[in-house]
Short mmCIF file of all heavy atoms in Angstrom, two decimals:
data_model
loop_
_atom_site.label_atom_id
_atom_site.label_comp_id
_atom_site.label_asym_id
_atom_site.label_seq_id
_atom_site.Cartn_x
_atom_site.Cartn_y
_atom_site.Cartn_z
N THR A 299 -1.69 45.21 -7.47
CA THR A 299 -1.93 45.58 -8.92
C THR A 299 -2.63 44.42 -9.65
O THR A 299 -3.49 44.70 -10.47
CB THR A 299 -0.56 46.14 -9.64
OG1 THR A 299 -0.02 47.12 -8.78
CG2 THR A 299 -0.86 46.44 -10.96
N ASP A 300 -2.16 43.25 -9.48
CA ASP A 300 -2.63 42.04 -10.26
C ASP A 300 -4.13 41.91 -9.68
O ASP A 300 -4.99 41.45 -10.60
CB ASP A 300 -1.81 40.91 -9.89
CG ASP A 300 -0.49 40.97 -10.57
OD1 ASP A 300 -0.32 41.74 -11.60
OD2 ASP A 300 0.38 40.12 -10.18
N ALA A 302 -6.10 44.26 -8.64
CA ALA A 302 -7.00 45.21 -8.97
C ALA A 302 -7.27 45.48 -10.41
O ALA A 302 -8.21 46.27 -10.72
CB ALA A 302 -6.34 46.66 -8.37
N THR A 303 -6.36 44.95 -11.27
CA THR A 303 -6.61 45.19 -12.66
C THR A 303 -6.34 44.04 -13.54
O THR A 303 -5.60 43.10 -13.03
CB THR A 303 -5.54 46.39 -13.13
OG1 THR A 303 -5.68 46.42 -14.58
CG2 THR A 303 -4.14 45.89 -12.88
N SER A 304 -6.89 43.89 -14.56
CA SER A 304 -6.63 42.75 -15.56
C SER A 304 -6.09 43.35 -16.87
O SER A 304 -5.92 42.39 -17.81
CB SER A 304 -8.13 42.07 -15.91
OG SER A 304 -8.95 42.97 -16.52
N ALA A 305 -5.67 44.44 -16.87
CA ALA A 305 -4.95 45.08 -18.12
C ALA A 305 -3.61 44.36 -18.39
O ALA A 305 -2.93 43.98 -17.45
CB ALA A 305 -4.82 46.46 -17.82
N ASP A 306 -3.38 44.25 -19.62
CA ASP A 306 -2.18 43.56 -20.12
C ASP A 306 -1.38 44.58 -20.91
O ASP A 306 -1.47 44.80 -22.04
CB ASP A 306 -2.53 42.31 -21.07
CG ASP A 306 -1.27 41.58 -21.50
OD1 ASP A 306 -0.20 41.73 -20.73
OD2 ASP A 306 -1.39 40.94 -22.47
N THR A 307 -0.56 45.23 -20.09
CA THR A 307 0.21 46.45 -20.61
C THR A 307 1.62 46.22 -20.23
O THR A 307 1.98 45.51 -19.26
CB THR A 307 -0.26 47.81 -20.10
OG1 THR A 307 -0.08 47.88 -18.72
CG2 THR A 307 -1.70 47.95 -20.49
N ILE A 310 2.25 47.02 -16.53
CA ILE A 310 1.81 45.98 -15.68
C ILE A 310 3.04 44.81 -15.48
O ILE A 310 3.26 44.39 -14.48
CB ILE A 310 0.57 45.31 -15.95
CG1 ILE A 310 -0.68 46.35 -15.85
CG2 ILE A 310 0.22 44.05 -15.03
CD1 ILE A 310 -0.79 46.85 -14.51
N HIS A 311 3.62 44.57 -16.68
CA HIS A 311 4.50 43.56 -16.69
C HIS A 311 5.85 43.97 -15.90
O HIS A 311 6.48 43.16 -15.32
CB HIS A 311 4.98 43.22 -18.25
CG HIS A 311 3.88 42.55 -19.09
ND1 HIS A 311 3.04 41.68 -18.49
CD2 HIS A 311 3.42 42.78 -20.30
CE1 HIS A 311 2.20 41.18 -19.33
NE2 HIS A 311 2.44 41.91 -20.51
N ASP A 314 5.11 43.60 -12.31
CA ASP A 314 5.16 42.15 -11.95
C ASP A 314 6.69 41.76 -11.83
O ASP A 314 7.05 41.02 -10.95
CB ASP A 314 4.50 41.25 -12.91
CG ASP A 314 2.95 41.51 -12.83
OD1 ASP A 314 2.57 41.87 -11.69
OD2 ASP A 314 2.18 41.01 -13.74
#
Side-chain angles (χ1 to χ4, degrees):
T299 300
D300 287 341
T303 180
S304 59
D306 185 15
T307 66
I310 297 299
H311 295 318
D314 288 340

